[in-house]
Amino acid sequence: QFHMIKYKDLKWEESLGQGSFTRIFKGSKTDVHDGEKHVTEVLLKELDVVHKNCWESFFEAASLMSQISHKHLLLVYGVSVHGVKNIMVQEFVKYGALDLYLKRGRSVSVSWKLDVAKQLASALNFLEEKNIVHGNICTKNLLLAREGDTSQGSSPFVKLSDPGVSVTMLGKDVILDRIPWVAPEVLEAPENLTMECDKWSFGATVWEIFNNGNAPLRGWDLKRKRQFYESFQQLPPSQWTELADLISQCMEYQSAFRPSCRSIIRQLNSLITSDYVILHATEPVTQ
Ligand SMILES: N#Cc1ccc(Nc2nc(N)cc(-n3ccc(CO)n3)n2)cc1
């Protein structure tokens, strides 16, 4: 399914943090093409040894991303297995995950945020056309390749990362902790993961982007998070009614009623042309 990379061709540099069951490092890989040595900077994503039994699912996520290529999907160079170590080798994306970028208090404009939302919607539309479910859409898995500079009018560029270990392999608590990104129907039966679930997660991700990377339901314990779904609650609506409408359409408890990707893109396009964007050219930093 994908390229096997020799462990000896990889070099680890600084640690860059961790995801669920994984650790990420900056690194480099060395290839030899027609006698020439090429060194490429990469992101090394290691599956925690304690979860090595999830290696199939970990690599399934990698192969999902390497089966298809799209400008807003992360490029996975391949995988490397060395003893108990399972490593996914990814293109290094310059500015890392969007949740941390937004938390660092960059004041970005409304049009910057809409641009990012539209790029994510086009990646989702592409996956839908290929009948591929991602299963873990959130700003932690949205990578910023280009910052974009609103004053210069250059726009940001994002890439959707791999979904990581499948939600079907995760314990109930890990799934509960993913409220409100995980669709309600997935809680009942994780194997229910469908494209409709990605639309729910898209709604929660757009909510994050417009709330400067503040996690929705931050600090809520698992009991309160479960009750959020049991009482069919919605996230606090944005003052921008049309945006709030799009988010609540995506976060519709009945999966069949969620909008198509085409409709999501159409609604984002009309938001981009609305006068709200001009009025809120650069949001005051709210932190
Ligand atoms: N400071 C800093 C800094 C950190 C990371 C990158 N680059 C990068 N490249 C990738 N291919 C994937 C990721 N990820 C980050 C979280 C996840 C979870 O999915 N991935 N980060 C660049 C700068």
Side-chain angles (χ1 to χ4, degrees):
Q1 268 146 331
F2 33 68
H3 187 43
M4 293 304 290
I5 295 169
K6 289 191 188 65
Y7 186 77
K8 68 170 181 54
D9 293 339
L10 297 173
K11 194 158 75 65
W12 270 252
E13 288 156 27
E14 70 266 32
S15 160
L16 291 173
Q18 49 206 3
S20 31
F21 299 14
T22 59
R23 229 169 286 269
I24 57 173
F25 300 84
K26 188 156 188 310
S28 62
K29 76 175 170 84
T30 307
D31 309 85
V32 180
H33 280 309
D34 5 301
E36 263 175 37
K37 203 173 96 157
H38 290 256
V39 181
T40 315
E41 76 171 356
V42 295
L43 187 287
L44 299 167
K45 187 178 264 193
E46 258 179 48
L47 180 65
D48 289 346
V49 174
V50 288
H51 297 110
K52 72 176 192 312
N53 59 311
C54 297
W55 70 270
E56 289 100 327
S57 176
F58 179 67
F59 288 154
E60 174 60 35
S63 78
L64 175 146
M65 303 302 283
S66 42
Q67 267 160 26
I68 47 176
S69 82
H70 184 269
K71 61 183 180 174
H72 293 306
L73 289 183
L74 177 72
L75 174 63
V76 173
Y77 291 119
V79 294
S80 184
V81 180
H82 182 75
V84 291
K85 279 193 158 194
N86 294 292
I87 302 125
M88 194 192 309
V89 185
Q90 306 181 346
E91 68 169 311
F92 185 77
V93 178
K94 193 165 189 305
Y95 298 95
L98 192 60
D99 65 324
L100 296 182
Y101 183 83
L102 291 173
K103 279 189 191 96
R104 277 189 212 114
R106 296 285 192 298
S107 76
V108 288
S109 67
V110 167
S111 60
W112 191 97
K113 295 172 182 172
L114 282 173
D115 214 332
V116 166
K118 227 183 112 184
Q119 293 176 29
L120 175 56
S122 71
L124 272 195
N125 186 47
F126 178 75
L127 289 174
E128 185 175 67
E129 283 170 358
K130 302 281 173 192
N131 221 351
I132 291 177
V133 180
H134 185 275
N136 196 4
I137 310 280
C138 57
T139 56
K140 277 186 178 59
N141 283 334
L142 206 47
L143 306 171
L144 192 63
R146 191 177 66 215
E147 278 192 293
D149 172 352
T150 23
S151 56
Q152 303 303 322
S154 77
S155 51
F157 196 89
V158 290
K159 292 186 168 235
L160 180 59
S161 179
D162 67 285
V165 172
S166 157
V167 74
T168 52
M169 301 288 288
L170 303 174
K172 185 80 179 175
D173 281 8
V174 178
I175 300 179
L176 278 174
D177 199 40
R178 285 194 180 177
I179 290 175
W181 291 272
V182 65
E185 64 270 20
V186 176
L187 237 60
E188 310 318 318
E191 53 286 342
N192 267 354
L193 204 64
T194 65
M195 249 111 37
E196 306 318 310
C197 304
D198 283 341
K199 287 164 195 167
W200 174 285
S201 310
F202 174 81
T205 304
V206 170
W207 190 95
E208 279 187 279
I209 294 167
F210 279 83
N211 282 271
N212 301 320
N214 292 322
L217 315 187
R218 181 172 50 189
W220 285 31
D221 63 28
L222 299 186
K223 189 163 159 288
R224 277 189 72 192
K225 283 194 166 190
R226 177 190 274 284
Q227 276 159 357
F228 182 83
Y229 279 0
E230 281 166 354
S231 44
F232 301 102
Q233 286 175 31
Q234 288 290 341
L235 293 177
S238 157
Q239 310 92 311
W240 187 2
T241 322
E242 292 83 349
L243 177 75
D245 289 347
L246 175 58
I247 291 172
S248 56
Q249 284 171 44
C250 293
M251 300 183 81
E252 159 62 53
Y253 278 86
Q254 304 202 49
S255 59
F257 294 173
R258 291 171 203 155
S260 68
C261 285
R262 307 208 59 69
S263 161
I264 290 172
I265 291 170
R266 226 183 355 260
Q267 292 185 59
L268 283 171
N269 282 330
S270 66
L271 289 180
I272 285 169
T273 55
S274 95
D275 47 24
Y276 187 96
V277 179
I278 299 150
L279 290 174
H280 298 73
T282 48
E283 302 259 351
V285 182
T286 48
Q287 277 84 324

